[in-house]
Amino acid sequence: MVETVWSVCGMCTARCPIRVEVEGGVITWIEGNPHLLGGALCARGSAGLALLADDERPRQPLLRKGGRGEGRWQPVSWDIALDQVAERLQAIIAKDGARSTIMSCRGGPFVDPAKAFIQALGSPNFTNHDSACGRNVHHASLSVYGVGRPDLTYDIKNARHLVLFGRNLLESMKIGEANQVLDMLDAGGRLTYVDVRQTVTGLKASRFLMVRPGTDYALTLGLLHGLIKAGAYDAEFVRRHTVGFDELAAFVEPYTLDWAAQECGVKAKSLKELIDELGADRPRVIFHPGWMLARYRDSFYASRNLHLLNVLMGNLEIKGGQIFAKGAKDCGRKGIRNLTDLVPKPEERRADGAGWKYPHFDKGPGIFPLFYEAMATGEPYPLKALFCYRHDPLTCFPDPGAQKRRLDTLELLVSIDTHYSEFGWYSDVILPESPYLERDCQVAVQKGPKPRLIYRQRAAEPRHDTRPGWWIFQQLASRLGLGQYFPYSTIEELWAWQLEPTGIKIGDFAAQGFVDLADKPILDDRESMARRLATPSGKIELVSGKLAAQGIESLRPYESPPKPPAGSFRLVFGRSAVNTHGHTINNPLLHELLPANRLWINKRAAAGLGVADGDWLEVISQDGAARGQIQAKVTEFIHPEAVYCLHGFGRQVPLQSRACNAGMSDQKLQTGLLLDLDRVGGGLCLCEGLVTVRRSDRNGKREVEL
Ligand SMILES: Nc1nc2c(c(=O)[nH]1)N[C@H]1C(S)=C(S)[C@@H](COP(=O)(O)OP(=O)(O)OC[C@H]3O[C@@H](n4cnc5c(=O)[nH]c(N)nc54)[C@H](O)[C@@H]3O)O[C@H]1N2
Ligand SMILES: Nc1nc2c(c(=O)[nH]1)N[C@H]1C(S)=C(S)[C@@H](COP(=O)(O)OP(=O)(O)OC[C@H]3O[C@@H](n4cnc5c(=O)[nH]c(N)nc54)[C@H](O)[C@@H]3O)O[C@H]1N2
Ligand code: SF4
Ligand SMILES: [Mo]
């Protein structure tokens, strides 16, 4: 008999809802939840089965035997591994206090047990990957609306015009969002796509602008100028709901469309046409403020301007515009219980300075790289232990060598991962979590215009001696005398405890795999929308009061990025539709689809270096300290100042036979960038590094035509 198991895909952080078919205890089929995604799933989602079958992952707890990174492991039972971690933690806490421990966790709806665990220890140092991802966008959103990135959603399907600045939505995707773009295009909507190279999203666009790398901020300044000069904005919305318009208008005065066109290397005529279209299409125009914008020194300001462009369109809380995410309260219902609510909030100051040294940073997850700063200096206090749960800092942050030097100052590194991460390989203990198809997860809220509760049900029994996260943290907490903060011993007990205030039962998820908290999307009217703005002025702040109080400008004068010297290029990166960062590179099916990355290089630039398509290249970091080997993809569809590769390749875990040394790692070439952090936006400046490129000795001799 075929059984349906409802779950949530775990192959990336988009967390698409899925329906899994199981026959006789064996998974036979995975598809997108038909009630929400019409069955659609991406290649990675389908490759979940290959993840289960793959034995090149940690199959039981492992304790390090040799030196860090040597790869000598002792397999042990869960009891031994958990006892060891608890004992070592106890000793560290006795000597240096709970504040010397850090928990980094990838974030998302299922973080509750990990966060509750570190808080229960008494440490304020909960963190995540986001300074290498969306921190700039999050802080930009906070500075304009007083609410962060997850609190705004985009009704793309009903938009008339979507403008994307390097948001490669059809490859770096969420299924639901990608489908919305296709629906919008089918309905005659326009898509403007801005990138330093052509992409699948760009191919679908009605306008593609190839810009000089690092000039997005200039383009947004020009567009603000153009819209204001043409009067092509919603003056009434701006008057009623914003502060700072006059200052904005005066600031953008010198940044004309012609200037922006020249700075970015695009045609002024295209920009003028764009302004006309925006004027005609508003308010149903969406400027996506970016997702991964840890790129350039001014990415925070570029994202902030994208928010301001939305405001000029008057697109808030309307069909085809930006819609505030709603939660249980907006539906007149009680929310679920979270473990974190049981635990007293640690009063200690964070070691990364978020919330005190940097009052403008959201102290929720703080800024991971600033812990590296603290490790190097011992200030504000010593750090001793790092847990990474669903996070691989050595793949996520620049310059793994520099990171390892700092990690060596710590006494305990614990990796809780489904795979051998690069960090796990360097750590002291690996606690293998069961892959998402082999584990249940607690109930979580998915906020949105129509909020819902989701959960993950296990579709198969674990093939190996692995365990789910909610169990691992509960077990560790019990060993440390903190069991009262984890009031369950089975997932059924945890579900029941979480759901109790809501009146919803776990059985209510059986029909569709989720429970809607509202019958239809909730749209506030314009006046009550203003309640949601959590800025000091209670209005949308074109010029931010909170930043001003810190002496930080909201509108920064533009600085043109220097042109790389001859033979040098800006190293930019991105994702492919068939991989998630570094952790799917060794997946047997996905490896077959994409065994290695290549370096995109502009045709003219390649000719100048004597490089032909497919040639092996040597890529050298800006300080000469790191080198990589990769094959060339010669194309005219990339700006001549940049070279581009997919992120995640060049892994170095020997037990991952397919991924080990396949392709080139971008983060290893990002030397000197680990603390190159925007202290206003909190994002790393990952694309501020240059590399030199030359033909590698690995190429055979070319025949010379006489
Ligand atoms: N140079 C460069 N750096 C980048 C990027 C880039 O493009 N280039 N991208 C940036 C971006 S946008 C991001 S979001 C970050 C991502 O950086 P990370 O958050 O570190 O990346 P992920 O690959 O999503 O996952 C991290 C770890 O989680 C593990 N994992 C996956 N599923 C599970 C699970 O179910 N349970 C457990 N316990 N572990 C699991 C994986 O095996 C992996 O080791 O990297 C950033 N850093
Ligand atoms: N398939 C797949 N989907 C994913 C992920 C994944 O790993 N795989 N990861 C998810 C995560 S965590 C994130 S954060 C998102 C990221 O989603 P995106 O931010 O859309 O992703 P990227 O592919 O990193 O970058 C998009 C583009 O930025 C371009 N770019 C570089 N420099 C510039 C510049 O100066 N200006 C402009 N305009 N463009 C520039 C690059 O060429 C690249 O094509 O994707 C999510 N979806
Ligand atoms: S986008 Fe693909 S990999 Fe990511 S959650 Fe959705 S189906 Fe899974
Ligand atoms: Mo990300």
Side-chain angles (χ1 to χ4, degrees):
M1 203 185 71
V2 178
E3 214 191 313
T4 283
V5 176
W6 300 111
S7 188
V8 175
C9 181
M11 294 296 282
C12 86
T13 41
R15 297 193 188 77
C16 300
I18 52 173
R19 191 181 81 87
V20 184
E21 283 184 7
V22 180
E23 241 180 305
V26 177
I27 301 175
T28 48
W29 177 250
I30 311 175
E31 63 178 7
N33 185 321
H35 303 288
L36 296 168
L37 296 178
L41 198 65
C42 82
R44 297 165 295 152
S46 303
L49 277 178
L51 159 62
L52 294 196
D54 182 15
D55 285 339
E56 292 188 347
R57 54 183 169 102
R59 286 173 279 168
Q60 69 183 97
L62 298 170
L63 301 181
R64 176 168 66 80
K65 278 205 303 193
R68 280 187 178 156
E70 274 179 19
R72 292 200 289 134
W73 297 103
Q74 182 185 1
V76 292
S77 68
W78 276 94
D79 269 339
I80 291 178
L82 293 166
D83 286 348
Q84 238 237 26
V85 173
E87 275 163 31
R88 293 175 69 177
L89 259 183
Q90 239 153 2
I92 286 172
I93 292 173
K95 197 161 140 280
D96 290 292
R99 65 183 188 176
S100 67
T101 61
I102 312 168
M103 166 74 65
S104 190
C105 163
R106 179 51 204 274
F110 300 120
V111 302
D112 188 35
K115 196 169 178 186
F117 175 71
I118 193 78
Q119 273 191 22
L121 286 185
S123 170
N125 295 320
F126 177 75
T127 189
N128 70 12
H129 67 291
D130 207 38
S131 46
C133 176
R135 265 306 89 172
N136 278 327
V137 181
H138 179 67
H139 284 137
S141 175
L142 277 172
S143 80
V144 176
Y145 306 109
V147 300
R149 187 170 78 91
D151 287 312
L152 283 165
T153 64
Y154 303 94
D155 183 18
I156 295 173
K157 181 176 172 177
N158 294 305
R160 288 207 194 102
H161 200 144
L162 175 64
V163 187
L164 302 173
F165 277 65
R167 175 70 190 95
N168 184 9
L169 231 150
L170 298 180
E171 289 178 280
S172 307
M173 65 174 127
K174 286 181 177 175
I175 301 282
E177 210 175 36
N179 283 346
Q180 285 204 45
V181 175
L182 300 180
D183 288 345
M184 179 202 80
L185 291 171
D186 284 348
R190 290 193 257 237
L191 174 58
T192 293
Y193 185 74
V194 182
D195 202 313
V196 301
R197 63 180 191 113
Q198 184 53 295
T199 62
V200 172
T201 314
L203 287 173
K204 291 269 180 200
S206 23
R207 176 181 296 102
F208 169 58
L209 300 171
M210 192 196 280
V211 288
R212 187 159 97 79
T215 61
D216 286 347
Y217 183 45
L219 188 49
T220 59
L221 287 168
L223 292 177
L224 285 165
H225 177 107
L227 287 169
I228 293 173
K229 279 284 159 275
Y233 65 98
D234 189 336
E236 177 60 11
F237 182 83
V238 167
R239 193 184 59 75
R240 287 177 76 103
H241 297 292
T242 73
V243 292
F245 181 75
D246 292 344
E247 213 174 309
L248 171 68
F251 180 81
V252 297
E253 188 62 37
Y255 300 116
T256 63
L257 270 190
D258 286 329
W259 167 83
Q262 197 178 11
E263 177 61 22
C264 303
V266 298
K267 291 202 175 79
K269 189 166 159 272
S270 304
L271 298 189
K272 286 181 181 137
E273 283 166 7
L274 175 57
I275 294 288
D276 290 345
E277 285 176 16
L278 295 172
D281 294 339
R282 77 178 167 83
R284 278 161 56 188
V285 174
I286 298 172
F287 284 84
H288 196 293
W291 183 351
M292 192 290 177
L293 275 194
R295 291 188 187 274
Y296 300 94
R297 260 180 246 303
D298 55 10
S299 289
F300 166 80
Y301 287 97
S303 179
R304 202 169 186 284
N305 271 0
L306 290 164
H307 283 299
L308 302 193
L309 286 159
N310 278 321
V311 176
L312 292 198
M313 296 293 98
N315 74 1
L316 250 93
E317 211 59 11
I318 56 158
K319 203 171 166 184
Q322 300 192 88
I323 302 180
F324 283 106
K326 313 294 183 319
K329 230 177 160 183
D330 298 295
C331 312
R333 307 180 69 140
K334 285 222 163 91
I336 56 168
R337 277 190 188 132
N338 291 308
L339 299 170
T340 332
D341 303 332
L342 285 182
V343 191
K345 294 244 174 323
E347 281 162 14
E348 195 71 58
R349 295 195 299 188
R350 294 179 59 97
D352 60 358
W356 58 279
K357 189 170 172 192
Y358 303 101
H360 56 289
F361 285 159
D362 179 350
K363 64 181 176 181
I367 307 286
F368 190 122
L370 293 176
F371 286 110
Y372 281 133
E373 202 165 81
M375 285 174 213
T377 60
E379 296 294 334
Y381 47 77
L383 293 166
K384 295 291 166 179
L386 169 64
F387 284 76
C388 285
Y389 173 54
R390 270 187 72 243
H391 179 217
D392 183 4
L394 295 181
T395 305
C396 174
F397 297 123
D399 200 345
Q403 292 185 63
K404 285 178 186 171
R405 287 194 291 282
R406 288 169 170 84
L407 292 175
D408 284 344
T409 65
L410 302 188
E411 290 170 16
L412 179 63
L413 307 178
V414 180
S415 163
I416 307 176
D417 205 297
T418 43
H419 296 76
Y420 294 109
S421 67
E422 301 282 316
F423 171 81
W425 196 250
Y426 198 69
S427 68
D428 306 319
V429 183
I430 300 181
L431 301 177
E433 184 164 44
S434 308
Y436 67 102
L437 291 168
E438 293 181 343
R439 72 174 192 259
D440 305 288
C441 282
Q442 63 274 22
V443 175
V445 185
Q446 238 173 18
K447 286 173 80 179
K450 194 175 161 196
R452 63 176 73 100
L453 297 183
I454 56 163
Y455 80 143
R456 206 181 246 149
Q457 247 186 313
R458 112 182 145 264
E461 292 306 317
R463 281 185 60 229
H464 301 299
D465 192 10
T466 57
R467 295 283 190 280
W470 57 266
W471 181 89
I472 297 173
F473 291 113
Q474 190 261 0
Q475 288 288 313
L476 278 174
S478 316
R479 281 167 168 77
L480 291 158
L482 301 167
Q484 74 271 28
Y485 298 123
F486 293 79
Y488 58 84
S489 51
T490 63
I491 190 70
E492 288 75 16
E493 283 174 18
L494 176 56
W495 285 335
W497 177 82
Q498 285 190 286
L499 286 172
E500 199 189 273
T502 66
I504 294 166
K505 298 270 173 289
I506 203 69
D508 299 341
F509 289 71
Q512 307 188 95
F514 58 92
V515 174
D516 276 326
L517 298 178
D519 302 335
K520 51 181 188 354
I522 303 173
L523 267 187
D524 291 345
D525 58 51
R526 279 289 163 93
E527 295 316 309
S528 50
M529 170 212 79
R531 277 187 295 120
R532 298 188 185 272
L533 301 169
T535 49
S537 64
K539 301 241 177 187
I540 296 169
E541 296 196 345
L542 305 177
V543 174
S544 157
K546 195 162 176 199
L547 289 183
Q550 301 306 315
I552 298 170
E553 61 213 347
S554 288
L555 301 159
R556 179 188 279 180
Y558 178 72
E559 278 178 44
S560 185
K563 196 173 154 54
S568 281
F569 302 86
R570 199 176 278 278
L571 177 63
V572 304
F573 51 76
R575 281 132 256 289
S576 93
V578 303
N579 271 308
T580 304
H581 309 294
H583 82 253
T584 58
I585 306 287
N586 198 51
N587 181 293
L589 276 181
L590 300 174
H591 171 79
E592 217 173 292
L593 289 176
L594 190 59
N597 55 357
R598 285 200 172 202
L599 193 77
W600 291 41
I601 181 165
N602 177 275
K603 209 169 163 180
R604 266 179 293 137
L609 296 171
V611 165
D613 194 46
D615 275 356
W616 280 97
L617 301 174
E618 187 166 35
V619 187
I620 304 161
S621 65
Q622 51 193 1
D623 57 0
R627 276 153 206 266
Q629 298 268 344
I630 188 169
Q631 281 182 284
K633 173 180 164 118
V634 175
T635 168
E636 52 213 287
F637 294 111
I638 181 164
H639 194 280
E641 285 183 19
V643 287
Y644 166 91
C645 71
L646 290 171
H647 173 58
F649 285 88
R651 296 178 66 76
Q652 286 189 318
V653 175
L655 291 187
Q656 295 190 326
S657 65
R658 295 168 290 271
C660 188
N661 291 324
M664 185 187 79
S665 152
D666 53 341
Q667 73 272 15
K668 285 192 193 119
L669 292 161
Q670 291 166 341
T671 52
L673 296 181
L674 182 57
L675 293 175
D676 195 345
L677 182 87
D678 177 348
R679 308 266 159 163
V680 176
L684 284 162
C685 305
L686 297 177
C687 291
E688 291 292 359
L690 299 184
V691 291
T692 48
V693 175
R694 59 180 185 222
R695 278 187 92 238
S696 153
D697 298 339
R698 267 170 92 166
N699 296 301
K701 285 230 160 36
R702 285 220 187 102
E703 278 182 31
V704 180
E705 277 182 41
L706 296 171

